[in-house]
Structures are given as structure tokens and as C-alpha cells.
Amino acid sequence: MPTEGGRADWANLTAFLSARPEDQVTLSWSELIRIVGTIPASATRHHPQWWHGDRSHVRAWRAAGYTLEWVKPGRTVSFRRSSPTTPYEPIPTRQPAAPTATATSPGSDVRALQQIDPRSTLLVIPCSKRKRDGGQPWTEGAPRWPAALLSARARNQEAARLDERHALPAWRRYIGEFYKAAQDPLTCAVIEKAPLLILSGGYGLVRGDEPIGTYNKIMNLADWPRGLLEDLLIAEARNAGVPYVVAFAAASTDYARLIRRVPWRRASLSALLVTVTGVAGGGAMRETPRRLGHAFACYWTKQAAEQYPAGITVEHVT
């Protein structure tokens, strides 16, 4: 049985499967090794236990939307998509119970966040300038977005210096300070298939597990038709069937401006915007996203208020 040295990186399998268009993917043993780096002997000694249960390698293919169909240890393994790529169809919203108003104005503490289950929430986060290179050769067909967004993406392609020769799931492509601070909880959110959207200068909106290329452009609302991204944010919350939206963004950026101009209340949704105050000086470009990533981690893991970083502000946006 071929093996390679080093520790297995099962996130590579998540990236590989996420970029595949087919509903069934069968890999030879050597192909699997080339993707993840190594296969431990326990994969054959303890078959089938090793291939099931709540284990990091099992979570890797589940995060990509696949289940294990069959395995022949040392020879082949086959995965089947568990979440078919069906056309996008919004579903009606439920009327939410709003968080307590005393904790939702700018400058407030985080008690409003603690009243909302993160798993009943559309999570909205910013992209980052720093991106991981590489990925799998691009084989993805047209993503499941309305034609208006795809057209807007095409118009911005040159300005964004978009390179789609290789693809990675969006949550793995970005490696800025937010993503470093939120890494483990963000991974858990993807594995659990929590509704997750990323505000992107090159793509407008991307779903957390959506394969994307590389680009170099911050969010500029003037690049996108007025109302398009706002309507899509509402539609994503409706499609997920969640009554709450919790977004994380630097207060003075277009990421935050977009969240503030969405008519959440009219759509019967309750939305909170998490920002940071009191960060000044030359380190703010790194410290602000780092604190926002830390706040995301605290929210997802339901930490006590004192565990949140300093300066976190919660706005109830309507």
C-alpha cells in the first residue's frame, strides 16, 4: 500500500471534493494519498470503524457535502454527494422574536448576541486581502446564483484581476487576520453546514463552501447594481429558513454599509452587525479584523461576554 511521509491534511480533501461537479467521486488509493499526504495504517487495520463516526477525516468529506459510499482499503474509495446541487429556491421566512433592545445600539455589550443561537443564524463575514494560493484545477460549472450576480461578477472580472485557473472553497481561500482568529469555529460552521456568506470585492457574495479563484479587490458597493446584493442577502436568509442574521465587518467599510442598507425589518428578519471601536493607529488594519474574528469565534462557541475582545460593538440594523 503506498504511503507518503508527513501528517495528513484532510482539509485538502474538503477542497478537492468541493470543487468537483459530479455527484460521485471515486479515487484510487494513490490519488487519495496525493491529495491528503498520507494514509495511516489504522485506515486498513480498523476498517470500517476508521471510516465512520465523528472523526476529523470523516468531517472533511462531510464538509464538502459528500458521504462515504464504499471503500476498498489499499485500493479505492468512493464518495457520493449528500446535498445535490438543486436550483436555488427561497422559502418563506418566519417572524423572529427580536433580541432585547437594550443591548443592540452602537457601543453596547454583547448580550444581544448571546440571546441568539448561532446555528439559527445566517452568518455574514468579510473577505480578506490575503488569500491562499493554488487549489484544484477549475472544473466548477456556473454557481447557483441568479444571472444578475453572475453578470455583475463578469463585469468586475478585469478590475478585480480575477484568476480562476484553480479553485478553493471560499472559507479556505481567505487567510487574513479574521480567518486566523476564527479558524477552528469557522471550520466547525462549514462542517455543520451553517448558512454562511462572505462579502467579497471580487464576487459580491459567495457562500462559504463555494469554490472561488483568486483576486485583488476590496468591496466597493459602486461595483454592484443597487439592491442586488441586498436582495440576495435576504433571499439567502429565507432559503436557509433562519430568522436571524449576524454580520461581522469593520464599521467604516462598504462591507458594513451594505449590511446597514438592507431592509431587514421589512423582510421580517432580525439582523445584528458586529463591529469594533477604539482601535487606532497603524495597527488597526490588522487588529480590527483580528478582533472581529475573535468575536465570531466567541459567538459560535457561545462564550461569556467577558471572553469577547475589547471594543466589540453590536448594532441592531433595520
Side-chain angles (χ1 to χ4, degrees), residues 20-50:
R20 305 304 299 176
E22 56 264 50
D23 288 337
Q24 181 173 354
V25 177
T26 301
L27 301 172
S28 69
W29 210 252
S30 59
E31 287 174 328
L32 183 60
I33 288 171
R34 283 199 298 271
I35 293 170
V36 304
T38 188
I39 304 294
S42 55
T44 55
R45 284 202 309 262
H46 303 295
H47 173 72
Q49 295 95 323
W50 191 88

Side-chain angles (χ1 to χ4, degrees), residues 213-232:
T214 60
Y215 63 92
N216 185 15
K217 199 174 193 308
I218 65 171
M219 172 66 79
N220 183 347
L221 291 179
D223 293 334
W224 307 95
R226 178 76 187 218
L228 173 63
L229 301 183
E230 295 91 328
D231 288 347
L232 290 176

